[in-house]
Amino acid sequence: MTDTDLLAAAFEEHRDHLRAVAYRLLGSMTDADDAVQDAWLRLTGSDTREVENLGGWLTTVVARVSLNMLRSRRHRNEEPVGDSWPVAAEAAARDGAAASGRPGPPGDPEDEAVLADSVGLALLVVLDTLTPAERLAFVLHDMFAMPFTEVADVLGRSTDATRQLASRARRRVRGAPSPDHAADFARQREVASAFLAAARGGDFAALVALLDSDVTLTGDAFTVPSGRPALLHGADLVAKGAATASARAEHSQLALVDGAVGIVFAPAGRLQIVLALTVSPERRITAIDVIGDPDRLRRLRLAVLPG
């Protein structure tokens, strides 16, 4: 057996652990596998003869790779493409006003599922709201028992500062949806998912069925071409706006918006629009707040939900 074969065999012994670490840090099996592959390439290009704890060394490498990936997500600067959902809503408002005579305003799926179950969806969602440093400090220390001194070395910070990062993350995680709220969370997600699917298909009837008869949609001045806030009232008008925006809906996805399930429109990875939904116990959407104001968007706590 060659040295390369021995190295590969040793690496395989740690692969599952490395994937678990990377997945909890990145929340994506595809990204996790990329991070693990990067660790293998770095291993083959390094002199590890004096490394006493290969598992620890590889975990540190994967953590650093994952940290860089998390930071790159936060610093992307893609140009926005496409249009925004409320354009269709405004058109629906004009059509409705004209009709009424009133003036109107302008990885491998199986592996992913297994890991997601072991972590818990609520936790994955909350981890996605943390800063990269907070997420790494919490995951490595609280979930994988890595000493703070080693976590601090990965982050390039002092041990005390790293403890503070983990403490802040821990407080956020404690605020994750509890089992008592699981049914409510599932109800919100079911309705939001059905709404998004109906919008993508332009299915007017399905949209109306999901909306309360007195549903209200509000859109801030940043969400409509006229630069004036938009207001739609009633299931027919709101459904018409959503149905005519199927192209935008195709590039939208479910997300946690300040603790409730909503929808985000982020073409090319750049957030443009957030739909904050209010869902009744009867599984009807009673209100939609369409947010495009950059200041409001920055204040939102957002986390994209796994598909």
Side-chain angles (χ1 to χ4, degrees):
M1 183 175 288
T2 66
D3 290 343
T4 301
D5 291 336
L6 289 171
L7 198 61
F11 183 81
E12 288 303 318
E13 291 180 5
H14 300 286
R15 180 182 290 276
D16 288 345
H17 169 76
L18 298 175
R19 291 178 83 224
V21 171
Y23 182 74
R24 285 157 176 79
L25 286 172
L26 298 167
S28 161
M29 184 58 70
T30 300
D31 288 348
D33 284 336
D34 288 344
V36 172
Q37 180 63 22
D38 198 331
W40 163 250
L41 294 175
R42 297 190 186 204
L43 175 62
T44 58
S46 302
D47 183 358
T48 58
R49 287 175 296 183
E50 296 184 4
V51 173
E52 296 181 0
N53 182 354
L54 183 61
W57 186 90
L58 287 169
T59 299
T60 298
V61 170
V62 164
R64 285 176 174 156
V65 170
S66 299
L67 180 61
N68 289 336
M69 294 172 73
L70 287 170
R71 285 171 172 166
S72 70
R73 291 178 185 173
R74 295 296 181 97
H75 293 91
R76 286 177 185 153
N77 191 33
E78 294 95 343
E79 289 298 317
V81 298
D83 207 343
S84 57
W85 190 90
V87 172
E90 187 182 46
R94 287 198 299 268
D95 293 344
S100 65
R102 299 190 309 270
D108 177 61
E110 185 174 353
D111 286 346
E112 186 111 18
V114 170
L115 273 177
D117 287 344
S118 70
V119 178
L121 174 61
L123 178 56
L124 282 176
V125 169
V126 174
L127 289 178
D128 208 32
T129 69
L130 305 177
T131 67
E134 288 171 344
R135 183 166 184 160
L136 188 133
F138 175 80
V139 168
L140 293 184
H141 180 268
D142 286 45
M143 299 183 72
F144 291 96
M146 180 180 283
F148 275 123
T149 52
E150 296 180 20
V151 180
D153 185 56
V154 174
L155 289 170
R157 304 196 184 195
S158 69
T159 301
D160 286 344
T162 302
R163 289 180 187 276
Q164 292 174 2
L165 287 170
S167 178
R168 285 203 299 269
R170 203 173 294 121
R171 288 195 296 271
R172 296 280 289 278
V173 168
R174 285 171 181 161
S178 68
D180 293 339
H181 298 136
D184 186 48
F185 182 85
R187 172 177 53 82
Q188 293 176 28
R189 186 171 187 177
E190 176 187 337
V191 174
S193 179
F195 179 83
L196 185 56
R200 287 171 175 168
D203 190 336
F204 179 80
L207 287 165
V208 170
L210 291 164
L211 297 168
D212 186 85
S213 60
D214 291 325
V215 63
T216 298
L217 180 147
T218 56
D220 63 41
F222 288 82
T223 64
V224 290
S226 65
R228 291 180 291 176
L231 173 64
L232 302 182
H233 183 77
D236 285 351
L237 276 181
V238 175
K240 184 181 293 185
T244 54
S246 58
R248 266 85 69 182
E250 191 64 38
H251 298 285
S252 299
Q253 55 195 127
L254 299 184
L256 203 64
V257 181
D258 283 344
V261 180
I263 297 170
V264 296
F265 174 65
R270 180 161 181 155
L271 181 66
Q272 290 189 18
I273 300 290
V274 169
L275 275 65
L277 308 179
T278 301
V279 179
S280 72
E282 293 74 32
R283 287 179 162 76
R284 295 290 185 273
I285 298 173
T286 59
I288 302 176
D289 186 12
V290 187
I291 305 167
D293 183 337
D295 288 337
R296 292 184 67 195
L297 291 176
R298 280 192 291 269
R299 290 196 296 270
L300 294 174
R301 291 184 294 111
L302 300 174
V304 173
L305 288 168

